Amino acid sequence: MEAPLGGAGWRRLLGGSCRRRQVGSLCVTKAGRAGGASRWIVWSRLGYRRGVAARYLVNEIFYSLQGEGVRAGTPNLFLRLARCNQECRVESHGFDCDTEFESGRWLTAPEIVAEARELSAGCGWLVLTGGEPALQVDGELIDALHVAGLKLAIETNGSVELPAGIDWITVSPKVAEHAIRQRTAHEVKYVRGYGQALPRTVVAAEHYLLSPAFDGDELDRRALAWCIRLCRENPPWRLSLQQHKLWGVR
C-alpha cells in the first residue's frame, strides 16, 4: 500500500495545484493542469490512494441531451451500466428493448468521474441508466459523483430499492406492480403499445407519464394515438416521447 501524501506530495504527484473534499469515507481531489484542464481522483479517508476499490461494469459513458420525461431537452452526462434483470419483449411488455447493455468494462468510481469530466467539465447532471443501474449503484459511486459536482438522475425499472442520495428518480416499471420495490419517484413512466391499458401504479410520484412504443427508431403511430387518448381521458397522466430518437441524438 502506498504511503499517505501531504499537500506538497499531492501537488507533485498530480502535476499542479489541487484541492480536496471529504465525503464519508472518500476524499476527492480536483487536480489542476496547465491550460485549465482538470481531473478528479478519489482517495481513502486516511490519505492512501485506493488500492482495492469497488468496480462497476460500465457499458458506455457519453454526453447528450435528455430525450425523455420532465427533464427532456437538458444536457446530461450519461453513465450506462451493463446488465439487466429483465428481458423486455413485445409479447410481454408491448415493446422490444433496443438497447445493447451486455458488454462493458470494469471501472472504479474515480475512473468513471475522470472519463465523464473529459466529456464535459461544466455539465451539472449525470444520468445513471442501463440495463438496470440499480443492480450496481451504491453509496460509494453516488458520493464520488456528487463530490465531482454532479447531480444524479436515475432511470430504473423499480425492481430494486435504490440507495439514498439520488437527486432525481425516474421509475419505468417493467415488472408486475407487486414486484416493484422502488415505490417513490419524481416521475413514473410506462411504455405503452397500442391497446395496452392504463397502469394502476403503486409508485407515488410527482409526475405520471405515458410513453408510446417505438419500433427501433421509428415511432409507432398507433401507439402514439393510443397514449394521447389515455392521457386525455386520465389526467394527471401526461405524454412523454423518446424525443432523442426524433432529434437523431444519443
Side-chain angles (χ1 to χ4, degrees):
M1 181 177 288
E2 302 175 26
L5 294 173
W10 285 63
R11 287 190 289 274
R12 284 196 301 272
L13 177 66
L14 300 173
S17 63
C18 66
R19 60 183 176 88
R20 287 179 284 179
R21 295 175 61 187
Q22 187 73 39
V23 173
S25 63
L26 298 178
C27 183
V28 178
T29 298
K30 186 175 185 180
R33 289 291 193 184
S38 61
R39 63 194 177 101
W40 294 86
I41 295 179
V42 178
W43 301 74
S44 73
R45 179 174 49 195
L46 299 178
Y48 292 99
R49 197 169 183 175
R50 294 181 68 87
V52 179
R55 301 174 75 203
Y56 308 89
L57 188 57
V58 175
N59 178 269
E60 60 177 340
I61 305 172
F62 62 97
Y63 182 48
S64 189
L65 299 182
Q66 173 61 276
E68 303 181 68
V70 175
R71 299 186 58 254
T74 61
N76 294 262
L77 290 155
F78 290 81
L79 171 59
R80 187 181 305 283
L81 296 170
R83 298 179 180 168
C84 190
N85 57 0
Q86 301 296 315
E87 185 175 355
C88 295
R89 298 294 185 191
V90 67
E91 297 81 8
S92 56
H93 294 80
F95 66 97
D96 288 322
C97 180
D98 58 1
T99 304
E100 191 284 302
F101 49 73
E102 288 299 327
S103 63
R105 54 203 171 99
W106 292 99
L107 298 176
T108 62
E111 290 169 337
I112 290 170
V113 168
E115 288 198 20
R117 280 310 187 197
E118 285 180 6
L119 293 172
S120 173
C123 182
W125 280 88
L126 180 141
V127 178
L128 300 158
T129 186
E132 176 44 56
L135 297 175
Q136 298 192 62
V137 171
D138 58 14
E140 182 171 328
L141 181 60
I142 291 170
D143 285 349
L145 292 168
H146 274 158
V147 172
L150 291 162
K151 291 184 178 180
L152 301 180
I154 192 168
E155 299 174 355
T156 174
N157 63 32
S159 61
V160 178
E161 187 173 2
L162 297 172
I166 298 172
D167 303 288
W168 185 270
I169 297 173
T170 301
V171 174
S172 184
K174 308 296 189 299
V175 296
E177 296 296 317
H178 71 270
I180 294 175
R181 297 292 176 263
Q182 181 60 40
R183 297 197 171 196
T184 59
H186 295 88
E187 59 184 10
V188 59
K189 173 169 58 71
Y190 288 79
V191 177
R192 280 296 178 259
Y194 176 74
Q196 284 190 294
L198 187 76
R200 295 183 178 180
T201 185
V202 299
V203 180
E206 297 173 15
H207 307 281
Y208 295 84
L209 311 175
L210 293 180
S211 181
F214 272 65
D215 182 7
D217 288 336
E218 295 296 323
L219 176 61
D220 183 331
R221 293 290 172 177
R222 289 207 311 161
L224 173 60
W226 178 252
C227 287
I228 290 173
R229 174 182 170 182
L230 289 176
C231 290
R232 292 180 64 178
E233 294 177 351
N234 299 278
W237 290 89
R238 58 190 284 188
L239 190 68
S240 174
L241 296 180
Q242 298 179 57
Q243 297 177 77
H244 54 288
K245 295 183 177 180
L246 304 178
W247 300 335
V249 300
R250 296 293 307 278

